[in-house]
Amino acid sequence: MENTLIDLKVAEGIATVTVNRPKSMNALSREVLEQMEQVIKDVAKNDQVRALIITGAGNKAFVAGADISAMVDMTAQEAREYSIVAHNLYGMIEQLPIPVIAAINGYALGGGCELALVCDIRIAASTAKLGQPEITLGIIPGFGGTQRLSRLVGKGKATELILTGGMIDAETAMSIGLVNAVAPPETLIDAAVDMAKKIIANGPLAIKYAKEAIHRGLQMSLDQGCKYEIELWTDCFTTEDQDIGMKAFLNKQKPSFKGL
């Protein structure tokens, strides 16, 4: 599937969604967000897709941010609606039961950094720059940055990045836990595909339950999160995949999971 602003390609069970506005540094207009929402819905309905990679077109930007040219004359109500559209899309991505990997091929600023934050794993090109520069425009992050960034890198670093509006390079981002790995630009997508393949070699239901335990648990107390983990752990023992995986281990074989 290809369209004007969002490209979707599927190969070997891995979907790659590309924001395709390179002349605008892949900025997130409302139309981009709405097209991406439809593409994500298509991915969610495709049982053949086991993992998702999100990246940007060209070699300059992953997503350089929200579309400032569209925001400059927005009313407060229009800004609110714009933010809600983004939050709904980002929540949809975050709640996918499959692994989602951001291949950050360049600038990931503002809404672009926030898009990376909703992914499960972030791999950045060595040339990438990340940040939340909204404060320099007289606004705050509005697509989840004030919430997800602090949960990922801690309150202190998140506050510094948001209040200064500064950018950091890929190595610095990795050192604070904002990205998982750094790769040369020419092998970035290969690194993302390799990571996806490593993950999807495991049981689909276990991946789903693990993601659910992590995401839901972060919104609970430690005690509640551990109790929730017990329930999902127990659910694993009602699946065929648990039987397949453990018997394969005992027989020194490679498991062939069914997702059942």
Side-chain angles (χ1 to χ4, degrees):
M1 170 185 171
E2 293 189 0
N3 59 40
T4 308
L5 300 173
I6 303 293
D7 289 343
L8 169 63
K9 296 181 180 177
V10 180
E12 299 181 89
I14 301 170
T16 301
V17 168
T18 304
V19 182
N20 189 24
R21 290 187 76 197
K23 291 182 180 179
S24 301
M25 303 284 277
N26 301 320
L28 297 172
S29 66
R30 182 160 177 172
E31 188 178 4
V32 170
L33 294 172
E34 289 171 347
Q35 285 195 21
M36 184 179 284
E37 180 177 339
Q38 184 55 58
V39 169
I40 296 301
K41 287 179 179 177
D42 292 341
V43 168
K45 290 187 291 187
N46 189 340
D47 293 337
Q48 302 305 308
V49 173
R50 295 281 316 282
L52 170 62
I53 295 170
I54 299 177
T55 193
N59 55 16
K60 291 184 178 180
F62 171 68
V63 169
D67 194 334
I68 298 171
S69 64
M71 290 193 295
V72 64
D73 292 321
M74 279 184 179
T75 65
Q77 182 58 33
E78 288 170 337
R80 178 183 179 83
E81 292 170 0
Y82 187 32
S83 177
I84 289 171
V85 169
H87 274 274
N88 288 342
L89 168 63
Y90 286 14
M92 188 184 303
I93 294 170
E94 192 169 50
Q95 292 165 23
L96 286 170
I98 59 175
V100 182
I101 300 169
I104 305 169
N105 53 306
Y107 289 106
L109 305 176
C113 187
E114 289 164 308
L115 177 58
L117 288 172
V118 304
C119 299
D120 300 303
I121 294 172
R122 289 154 293 280
I123 302 176
S126 56
T127 52
K129 303 284 186 182
L130 299 92
Q132 298 287 168
E134 291 92 342
I135 203 92
T136 67
L137 302 174
I139 59 174
I140 68 170
F143 293 2
T146 63
Q147 304 305 304
R148 291 189 178 94
L149 186 60
S150 58
R151 284 167 167 79
L152 184 64
V153 304
K155 179 183 175 182
K157 275 297 178 185
T159 302
E160 177 186 342
L161 285 170
I162 291 169
L163 295 189
T164 64
M167 291 187 293
I168 57 175
D169 61 25
E171 290 292 341
T172 302
M174 186 168 69
S175 74
I176 65 172
L178 179 50
V179 302
N180 298 77
V182 176
E186 62 272 17
T187 61
L188 174 65
I189 296 299
D190 290 339
V193 169
D194 287 346
M195 178 68 75
K197 288 181 176 179
K198 186 174 183 179
I199 294 171
I200 65 177
N202 301 306
L205 291 176
I207 292 169
K208 173 185 174 181
Y209 291 153
K211 281 194 57 170
E212 188 175 339
I214 293 166
H215 290 309
R216 291 283 299 277
L218 282 171
Q219 298 173 42
M220 302 176 181
S221 69
L222 178 60
D223 182 58
Q224 290 172 324
C226 286
K227 288 177 179 176
Y228 190 59
E229 180 185 274
I230 290 171
E231 296 307 313
L232 292 175
W233 150 275
T234 303
D235 288 346
C236 289
F237 283 80
T238 68
T239 70
E240 290 186 33
D241 278 356
Q242 172 266 329
D243 188 57
I244 290 168
M246 292 190 174
K247 286 181 178 176
F249 175 82
L250 293 174
N251 293 322
K252 296 181 171 57
Q253 297 172 341
K254 185 177 179 179
S256 295
F257 294 111
K258 297 180 181 180
L260 299 171

